[in-house]
Amino acid sequence: MQVMRQILKRINQVLHPLGIQIMSTEVARHISLTKKIQQAGTQIEVLEFLIRAEIARHPGKTFNIVQIGANDGCRYDPYRKYIERFKLPGVLVEPIPDVYQKLVNNYKDQPQLAFENAAIGPENGSMPLYRLAENGEVLDGMSVYASFSRNHVEKFRNRAKTPMEIESIKVPVITFETLIEKHNIDHVSLLAIDTEGFDFEIIKSIDFNKIKPRIIEYEHSHLSYKDELECIKLLVSRGYKILRSCSDDTLAILPENEITGGKTSSSGLLRLN
């Protein structure tokens, strides 16, 4: 029991600035800041837990999503279930034209969404994007490995069981600020980034003085060790708390007082019994 109390204390040290407090050691027993939380006998992912907590704390505020590297909206997409379950509005960004068309079509029943056929980068313009092809044909599903880094795509080609080529296509690039202005976004609740090694470049390009996403989830598994540490250092310097959501992704969460400019009141906590 003493161990569980210590675990509960550690969890609440992380969650308190976010406006969340776990009251029961039984909840703490099943909590995993690396993957899932079990509440009332049902396991939910950490991100869903945070989305539910944020919606509960701010019922009059729209919880939205900006997803960069949305692919086709189905394949290996961990956010689709949240968009559909909570009817999240937002902007989904995908640079590859044929994949972008699939994305739009796959979300045709979600009218609250907007779409952007571009990549996000440090400046407006265009850049070569690399992806795998076989005999000149891009195979279904290979788009998930597309990257601005040829070396990154090369790694996946070397693992392929059949011979593959690397295809280069030029895609439009806009800044995060341009994206926000174009779609009239005044706040970002969840910024989801999955760009096969370009995640840190996008995070570095964000002007946090103009807009601070409440939650950022990005893929760290394709970052160098140096970039992974630098990314965490940058986000911490901007006031974020860092959680590992799984072996591939990192969650950065902005405490309530960083949004309001004041201190988080204990009376404002979302308590989970």
Side-chain angles (χ1 to χ4, degrees):
M1 182 60 71
Q2 182 63 31
V3 172
M4 287 310 304
R5 289 199 185 98
Q6 291 175 353
I7 292 174
L8 179 63
K9 181 179 179 181
R10 174 71 183 94
I11 291 171
N12 278 326
Q13 284 176 343
V14 175
L15 296 182
H16 183 279
L18 314 181
I20 303 169
Q21 183 176 6
I22 306 295
M23 301 296 289
S24 167
T25 56
E26 285 304 306
V27 175
R29 185 186 304 276
H30 297 289
I31 200 169
S32 170
L33 296 183
T34 60
K35 189 59 181 174
K36 291 185 176 180
I37 294 169
Q38 181 163 318
Q39 184 183 355
T42 302
Q43 281 199 343
I44 63 173
E45 295 181 356
V46 171
L47 183 55
E48 180 176 347
F49 171 80
L50 293 171
I51 292 172
R52 289 182 181 275
E54 188 69 4
I55 291 173
R57 281 180 52 79
H58 303 285
K61 185 176 182 180
T62 300
F63 189 99
N64 63 8
I65 180 172
V66 173
Q67 185 182 359
I68 301 174
N71 202 263
D72 64 3
C74 290
R75 194 179 299 271
Y76 308 125
D77 190 331
Y79 306 105
R80 183 182 184 89
K81 58 180 175 287
Y82 304 131
I83 290 172
E84 292 180 329
R85 186 175 302 155
F86 300 107
K87 299 299 179 186
L88 300 182
V91 181
L92 308 188
V93 182
E94 171 55 44
I96 304 175
D98 53 303
V99 180
Y100 172 79
Q101 291 304 320
K102 292 179 182 178
L103 172 69
V104 174
N105 185 62
N106 287 333
Y107 276 117
K108 61 186 178 183
D109 62 340
Q110 301 294 320
Q112 76 278 13
L113 294 174
F115 304 90
E116 185 65 41
N117 186 198
I120 303 301
E123 57 185 30
N124 297 320
S126 63
M127 289 177 64
L129 187 74
Y130 302 95
R131 62 177 179 176
L132 294 172
E134 184 177 0
N135 297 323
E137 180 182 352
V138 178
L139 300 179
D140 189 33
M142 288 296 101
S143 58
V144 297
Y145 304 121
S147 174
F148 285 126
S149 169
R150 185 184 176 91
N151 289 336
H152 177 79
V153 178
E154 187 84 36
K155 289 189 296 183
F156 288 101
R157 183 178 70 169
N158 294 339
R159 298 175 194 169
K161 296 179 180 179
T162 57
M164 292 186 140
E165 309 91 42
I166 296 179
E167 177 188 75
S168 173
I169 59 173
K170 185 169 283 190
V171 298
V173 178
I174 62 174
T175 65
F176 186 75
E177 185 175 351
T178 297
L179 178 75
I180 295 301
E181 291 176 353
K182 180 177 179 179
H183 293 275
N184 298 313
I185 298 172
D186 61 0
H187 74 282
V188 177
S189 305
L190 170 60
L191 173 60
I193 309 174
D194 183 354
T195 56
E196 298 299 306
F198 203 66
D199 301 46
F200 182 37
E201 297 302 316
I202 293 171
I203 291 171
K204 280 196 298 186
S205 74
I206 297 173
D207 186 347
F208 289 97
N209 292 320
K210 291 185 177 180
I211 192 162
K212 272 189 172 181
R214 173 70 154 154
I215 303 169
I216 301 174
E217 184 168 50
Y218 64 94
E219 188 178 37
H220 63 253
S221 61
H222 298 308
L223 299 180
S224 67
Y225 181 67
K226 178 178 180 295
D227 281 351
E228 184 178 351
L229 292 181
E230 287 297 319
C231 190
I232 290 173
K233 183 179 178 180
L234 171 63
L235 290 168
V236 169
S237 74
R238 297 301 183 181
Y240 285 87
K241 302 291 183 179
I242 306 298
L243 302 177
R244 274 284 168 83
S245 57
C246 71
S247 60
D248 294 327
D249 300 322
T250 293
L251 275 168
I253 308 159
L254 194 66
E256 189 75 13
N257 62 299
E258 290 291 336
I259 297 175
T260 61
K263 295 184 178 180
T264 304
S265 168
S266 58
S267 62
L269 291 172
L270 175 70
R271 292 183 166 86
L272 301 180
N273 297 307

